[in-house]
Amino acid sequence: ILNVEQSPQSLHVQEGDSTNFTCSFPSSNFYALHWYRWETAKSPEALFVMTLNGDEKKKGRISATLNTKEGYSYLYIKGSQPEDSATYLCAFYNAGNMLTFGGGTRLMVKP
Amino acid sequence: GAGVSQSPSNKVTEKGKDVELRCDPISGHTALYWYRQSLGQGLEFLIYFQGNSAPDKSGLPSDRFSAERTGGSVSTLTIQRTQQEDSAVYLCASSTIIDYEQYFGPGTRLTVT
């Protein structure tokens, strides 16, 4: 069983605040790290696929960084909006091609 | 198709009955995955297919669970002799190849009474 942990489990922020959360994963046999956004009553939606140590990816106000040597990735949201409210999942691919999801960070943005 | 589709969207069944869940991946996607989310739990990986082959079945919770994929397309997840603990949302996803981003279907909500 691979240990993929996300923190915090939940987060309440005010509209306009910037925020970030963490995904930690085993640093050995790294293959890829995925971030997904999962809104209530919808399917998870892919945000980023990250494969290289030091990778930084950006999509609009959302960005992510990756450190494979120490086994963590950060997801940043700049200027949070109510529509950003969702659960953000990271998923770790090891060299054996097994995808393990973290428990998610549930973000709630208050208007 | 435009996206991953799953059927049925909701299924209520009596304990002990068999159920079959269906997933239609995006056309051309060679990799297909099954997950489930039980109430209050995270996403649990069940099984994946590369083409019609499932290299790793260790994620299936018990031998009552089986899955198959035919023609490199449609997949069915079968649960025999359902138990109440099988109640969950079963999600299917597909990707072009094994390590690319996954596109999820809307899920099947299974309730075992």
Side-chain angles (χ1 to χ4, degrees), chain A residues 16-19 58 60-63 76-81 84:
Chain A
D17 287 352
S18 293
T19 187
K58 187 174 179 181
R61 293 180 291 98
I62 304 177
S63 60
Y76 301 90
I77 302 179
K78 185 178 177 182
S80 304
Q81 300 296 309
D84 296 330

Side-chain angles (χ1 to χ4, degrees), chain B residues 18-36:
Chain B
D18 297 352
V19 295
E20 194 171 275
L21 313 180
R22 178 187 167 108
C23 172
D24 275 282
I26 292 173
S27 178
H29 280 195
T30 60
L32 183 148
Y33 315 81
W34 283 99
Y35 301 90
R36 74 174 176 181

Side-chain angles (χ1 to χ4, degrees), chain A residues 21-32:
Chain A
F21 21 94
T22 307
C23 172
S24 62
F25 50 86
S27 56
S28 59
N29 294 325
F30 177 85
Y31 194 75

Side-chain angles (χ1 to χ4, degrees), chain B residues 21-65:
Chain B
L21 313 180
R22 178 187 167 108
C23 172
D24 275 282
I26 292 173
S27 178
H29 280 195
T30 60
L32 183 148
Y33 315 81
W34 283 99
Y35 301 90
R36 74 174 176 181
Q37 188 199 27
S38 304
L39 190 63
Q41 304 295 312
L43 267 182
E44 177 188 2
F45 169 76
L46 298 178
I47 191 170
Y48 82 94
F49 289 88
Q50 181 63 29
N52 292 333
S53 172
D56 180 5
K57 299 181 180 178
S58 62
L60 293 174
S62 77
D63 58 10
R64 296 183 295 103
F65 286 71

Side-chain angles (χ1 to χ4, degrees), chain A residues 74-100:
Chain A
Y74 292 138
L75 189 80
Y76 301 90
I77 302 179
K78 185 178 177 182
S80 304
Q81 300 296 309
E83 58 265 29
D84 296 330
S85 298
T87 296
Y88 291 83
L89 295 168
C90 71
F92 167 70
Y93 254 125
N94 72 352
N97 288 329
M98 186 171 96
L99 189 63
T100 303

